[in-house]
Amino acid sequence: MLDERKLAVLRAVVEDFVNTNEPVGSRALADRHPLGVSSATIRNDMVALEEEGYIAQPHTSAGRVPTDKGYRLFVDRLSSVKPLSAAERRAIESFLGGAVDLDEIVARTVRLLAQLTRQVAIVQYPSLTRSSVQHVELVPLGGRRIMMVVITNTGRVEQRVIDLLGSVRESVVDDLRTMLNRAIAGKHLGDVPDAVDDLPAQVAPEDRPVAVAVLSVLLESLVERHEEKIVLAGTANLAAVDFAASLRDVLEALEENMVLIRLLGEAKDPSMLTVRIGAENFHEGLRSTSVVSADYGVGNQSLAKIGVVGPTRMDYPGTMGAVRAVARYVGQILAGQ
Amino acid sequence: MLDERKLAVLRAVVEDFVNTNEPVGSRALADRHPLGVSSATIRNDMVALEEEGYIAQPHTSAGRVPTDKGYRLFVDRLSSVKPLSAAERRAIESFLGGAVDLDEIVARTVRLLAQLTRQVAIVQYPSLTRSSVQHVELVPLGGRRIMMVVITNTGRVEQRVIDLLGSVRESVVDDLRTMLNRAIAGKHLGDVPDAVDDLPAQVAPEDRPVAVAVLSVLLESLVERHEEKIVLAGTANLAAVDFAASLRDVLEALEENMVLIRLLGEAKDPSMLTVRIGAENFHEGLRSTSVVSADYGVGNQSLAKIGVVGPTRMDYPGTMGAVRAVARYVGQILAGQ
DNA sequence: AATTAGCACTGAGGACCACGGAGTGCCAGG
DNA sequence: CCTGGCACTCCGTGGTCCTCAGTGCTAATT
């Protein structure tokens, strides 16, 4: 049904349209691509491609434009991820190398990705759920408050202030800290609730309310409160594009953290590049955008995702290459920390 | 030179232009505003206003549009800050009330301000430079690393990992922590360098490298590294506006943290509302935007700034009211923490 | 059977033009 | 000093025409 040449035509249509942003006609195609046939033949092929729904005409007597389905086929079968140039690799390395803490790694990553792809980049902070507790610190803040700081093995630091009903002696806090660390240091976060289950029973009855307050905040901040932090950069790159949907809708969608989380979360095969094209995205305002995303992590443990949002009419091979490369480097940097 | 009526005409021109986004003519003005004179008279006044540079015509036979200078006069002498409605006040209160930590206060504030003004909101984290040290915590991370956490009285938490050359005993860290807190707890940040000056001399010679390493990171992260965090929201609101400069330029400028910091930093009179109109902003891409900013703080101590960026053609009284109100509420919330 | 050349047809977009209307500047009279 | 009146200006709109890239189809060619 779709022989080699028709696929080649589709590929050419996609590539030309991405380059020029104008419907591409049979003559232009015959000129610019070595397909070895005349424009008339290409026209016939285009009719076939159109019948199958891979391309469409904006109006009669205009050239053809790829449909979402066409991009899908292009990504799945007609293109390969384009590796970065040596210069780009060096740029990544030197740019990410200078980061001092997790915040900065993430901040630099997102800017880098936006710059490489000239699109909007999204980076998710390493997930808490898959990491383990490195250390818990309790700091009496004088009076009836304690600050709790939890450090994870992925470099993430969560801090919360705990309001107590009454004041508390410093020695109690010290004991609690020791017990807590003995109980959960090194533990996977998912196991924390079980591990602290019997802690209140081990403290003197009069200190029990304090222990309970601390534990409830701990559990809330680590487990229940799934809140995933997400950072985004490169929105200025959207201004250059003209969307079917209004730019405003796209910007609005991108300002909603929940939308971003879902966008990245829809990736199917972890540890692989995922591409969601146009209407494949659940969100109304993102109908004319595509999302390229990838997992990053340390070793084979996936920690979170990064991605790029751009018009469906994007350079998929290049974008995929950039996303994959950056994901790998971030993993390396995190491992080295 | 500019009598009462001419000022009233200018005010009317600004208000109408803000509402309609179209050059306003003498007839329309005479209709919509109770100026008590005919359109011919208004025409004469407009000529005077134009000669003084307060308004301009996009082209002959078009209505008039306020210039930057016209907006300036409007803001300085012809308008007053518009207080928020009771409903808006309640919304602020309930929206900011639920925040649990500093990050969330800031995040909610910026979204709130963007929503109230329907423009881009900017919020700066409370400055480190004017706050004092509440507590310093040192946590041995096993091996040759220490995590340092500094908690300020403004609720901000700075953490850094310190890489050591050799391993260090836990007791040394304990001693260091105690000494450090004795030296700087409660101290104003500006006084920290002096306060820790002689600390290395007080530790045993073999532990001195550790002490020096810790102190250098402390000083770097608190004093030298001025890095002010800034958050921004509401960029989608820009899409509705049509700028003289391209939208892209504006978005680009807003993605540069340094630009934002300078934007807020240019406020003259602290603790007052500041308005910078059009070309008064130093940045090329922001020639057609205005910035309304205000300090917020606890008591009479200014901690940082918040602001709004929008087109020069903005509702100044309303925007100023929202900025001022939000600044005050944030101060209250921080004080209550 | 597949490819190609040729040709008539289509529709978007640009150039051109006419015109209505909002707005101006100016003048003479209240 | 204000106002009514008037001639003038120019923008924006809408209509018409034309060009041109591109199509679909058919008949000829390989």
Side-chain angles (χ1 to χ4, degrees):
Chain A
M1 185 132 283
L2 285 187
D3 57 21
E4 268 315 308
R5 199 189 54 219
K6 292 200 181 62
L7 292 178
V9 169
L10 176 56
R11 180 195 287 119
V13 169
V14 171
E15 287 172 357
D16 273 23
F17 182 64
V18 166
N19 279 334
T20 63
N21 193 19
E22 266 164 26
V24 6
S26 52
R27 161 171 251 101
L29 229 94
D31 288 354
R32 269 200 292 270
H33 294 265
L35 294 168
V37 292
S38 79
S39 64
T41 309
I42 294 180
R43 275 203 286 285
N44 291 331
D45 288 352
M46 281 174 141
V47 172
L49 286 169
E50 183 160 22
E51 274 166 4
E52 300 289 331
Y54 294 109
I55 55 181
Q57 310 187 51
H59 50 84
T60 341
S61 93
R64 304 304 212 292
V65 163
T67 61
D68 286 0
K69 188 177 171 190
Y71 285 122
R72 175 89 275 160
L73 186 62
F74 175 81
V75 168
D76 289 346
R77 298 191 34 206
L78 302 178
S79 71
S80 54
V81 178
K82 183 176 158 208
L84 297 194
S85 71
E88 285 170 319
R89 288 176 179 281
R90 274 197 305 278
I92 295 183
E93 226 159 336
S94 70
F95 193 61
L96 290 188
V100 297
D101 61 6
L102 183 65
D103 281 337
E104 210 177 333
I105 292 176
V106 171
R108 287 188 180 212
T109 301
V110 74
R111 298 198 65 153
L112 175 68
L113 193 55
Q115 217 171 336
L116 279 175
T117 59
R118 304 191 163 278
Q119 287 167 355
V120 177
I122 313 177
V123 174
Q124 200 174 21
Y125 269 68
S127 164
L128 286 175
T129 55
R130 307 213 185 158
S131 46
S132 56
V133 177
Q134 173 122 358
H135 185 91
V136 183
E137 187 57 38
L138 295 178
V139 183
L141 289 188
R144 40 192 67 189
R145 302 162 98 195
I146 300 177
M147 159 150 287
M148 181 183 71
V149 181
V150 181
I151 305 162
T152 74
N153 67 338
T154 48
R156 190 152 161 186
V157 178
E158 286 287 296
Q159 86 259 347
R160 289 291 283 280
V161 172
I162 303 163
D163 282 306
L164 301 174
L165 292 174
S167 64
V168 61
R169 270 172 303 119
E170 193 139 338
S171 65
V172 176
V173 176
D174 287 343
D175 290 350
L176 211 51
R177 179 195 302 121
T178 317
M179 282 173 56
L180 210 50
N181 274 297
R182 204 155 38 208
I184 68 173
K187 281 250 170 32
H188 195 275
L189 281 197
D191 302 333
V192 166
D194 282 347
V196 299
D197 205 28
D198 57 340
L199 270 192
Q202 296 177 34
V203 300
E206 68 268 27
D207 299 330
R208 218 158 274 166
V210 177
V212 170
V214 169
L215 287 182
S216 81
V217 171
L218 173 71
L219 294 181
E220 180 198 329
S221 80
L222 290 193
V223 184
E224 293 163 17
R225 189 178 163 210
H226 233 260
E227 170 234 35
E228 310 273 12
K229 277 176 81 178
I230 274 201
V231 184
L232 161 154
T235 47
N237 295 323
L238 286 180
V241 192
D242 47 346
F243 284 105
S246 80
L247 176 59
R248 183 192 176 92
D249 289 340
V250 177
L251 282 173
E252 250 169 21
L254 293 181
E255 277 208 353
E256 287 290 337
N257 268 19
M258 288 316 299
V259 171
L260 295 185
I261 290 168
R262 263 190 79 186
L263 265 193
L264 291 182
E266 304 248 318
K268 280 179 202 158
D269 187 0
S271 88
M272 275 295 291
L273 278 170
T274 305
V275 181
R276 317 208 96 233
I277 296 168
E280 293 170 15
N281 291 306
F282 59 94
H283 194 285
E284 194 59 37
L286 300 177
R287 277 291 157 80
S288 49
T289 65
S290 287
V291 181
V292 176
S293 59
D295 282 56
Y296 71 88
V298 177
N300 55 7
Q301 184 189 39
S302 162
L303 290 175
K305 300 192 166 138
I306 70 175
V308 165
V309 181
T312 44
R313 179 185 72 71
M314 72 159 71
D315 168 19
Y316 289 97
T319 306
M320 290 166 79
V323 170
R324 191 176 66 183
V326 171
R328 283 184 186 157
Y329 273 102
V330 176
Q332 281 177 30
I333 301 265
L334 284 179
Q337 280 263 317
Chain B
M1 183 132 287
L2 284 187
D3 57 21
E4 267 315 308
R5 198 188 56 218
K6 292 200 181 63
L7 292 177
V9 169
L10 176 56
R11 179 196 285 121
V13 169
V14 172
E15 286 172 357
D16 272 23
F17 182 64
V18 166
N19 279 334
T20 63
N21 194 19
E22 267 163 26
V24 7
S26 53
R27 161 171 250 101
L29 261 184
D31 287 355
R32 269 201 291 270
H33 293 264
L35 293 168
V37 291
S38 78
S39 65
T41 309
I42 294 180
R43 276 203 285 285
N44 291 330
D45 288 351
M46 281 173 141
V47 172
L49 286 169
E50 182 159 22
E51 274 166 4
E52 301 288 331
Y54 294 110
I55 56 181
Q57 309 188 49
H59 51 83
T60 341
S61 94
R64 303 304 213 291
V65 164
T67 62
D68 286 1
K69 189 176 170 191
Y71 285 123
R72 174 90 276 161
L73 186 62
F74 175 80
V75 167
D76 288 346
R77 298 192 34 208
L78 302 177
S79 71
S80 54
V81 178
K82 182 175 156 208
L84 297 195
S85 71
E88 285 170 319
R89 289 177 178 280
R90 273 197 304 279
I92 296 182
E93 226 159 335
S94 70
F95 194 60
L96 292 188
V100 297
D101 61 6
L102 183 65
D103 281 337
E104 211 178 333
I105 292 177
V106 171
R108 287 188 180 212
T109 302
V110 74
R111 298 198 66 153
L112 174 68
L113 193 54
Q115 217 171 336
L116 279 175
T117 60
R118 304 191 162 278
Q119 288 167 354
V120 177
I122 313 176
V123 174
Q124 201 175 20
Y125 269 68
S127 164
L128 286 175
T129 54
R130 305 210 187 161
S131 46
S132 56
V133 177
Q134 173 120 358
H135 184 90
V136 183
E137 186 58 38
L138 296 178
V139 183
L141 288 188
R144 39 192 68 190
R145 303 163 96 194
I146 299 178
M147 159 150 285
M148 181 183 70
V149 181
V150 181
I151 305 162
T152 73
N153 67 337
T154 48
R156 190 152 160 185
V157 179
E158 285 288 295
Q159 86 260 347
R160 289 291 282 281
V161 172
I162 304 164
D163 281 307
L164 301 175
L165 293 175
S167 64
V168 61
R169 269 172 303 119
E170 192 137 340
S171 65
V172 176
V173 176
D174 288 342
D175 290 349
L176 211 51
R177 179 194 304 121
T178 317
M179 282 173 56
L180 211 51
N181 274 297
R182 205 156 36 209
I184 67 173
K187 282 251 171 27
H188 197 274
L189 281 196
D191 302 333
V192 165
D194 284 346
V196 299
D197 205 27
D198 58 338
L199 270 193
Q202 296 178 33
V203 300
E206 69 268 26
D207 299 331
R208 220 159 274 166
V210 178
V212 170
V214 169
L215 287 182
S216 80
V217 170
L218 173 71
L219 293 181
E220 180 198 329
S221 80
L222 290 195
V223 183
E224 293 162 17
R225 188 176 163 213
H226 234 258
E227 171 236 33
E228 311 273 11
K229 279 176 80 177
I230 273 201
V231 184
L232 163 151
T235 47
N237 294 324
L238 286 180
V241 192
D242 46 346
F243 284 106
S246 80
L247 177 58
R248 184 193 176 93
D249 289 340
V250 177
L251 282 173
E252 250 168 21
L254 294 181
E255 277 207 355
E256 287 291 337
N257 267 19
M258 289 315 300
V259 171
L260 295 185
I261 290 168
R262 262 189 80 188
L263 264 194
L264 291 182
E266 305 247 318
K268 281 179 201 157
D269 186 0
S271 89
M272 274 296 291
L273 279 170
T274 305
V275 181
R276 317 208 96 234
I277 295 168
E280 292 170 13
N281 292 305
F282 60 93
H283 193 284
E284 193 60 36
L286 299 178
R287 277 292 157 78
S288 48
T289 64
S290 288
V291 181
V292 176
S293 59
D295 282 55
Y296 70 88
V298 177
N300 54 6
Q301 184 189 41
S302 161
L303 290 174
K305 301 192 166 134
I306 70 176
V308 165
V309 181
T312 44
R313 179 185 73 70
M314 71 160 69
D315 169 19
Y316 289 97
T319 306
M320 291 166 79
V323 170
R324 191 176 67 184
V326 171
R328 284 185 186 155
Y329 273 103
V330 176
Q332 282 176 30
I333 302 265
L334 285 179
Q337 278 264 316

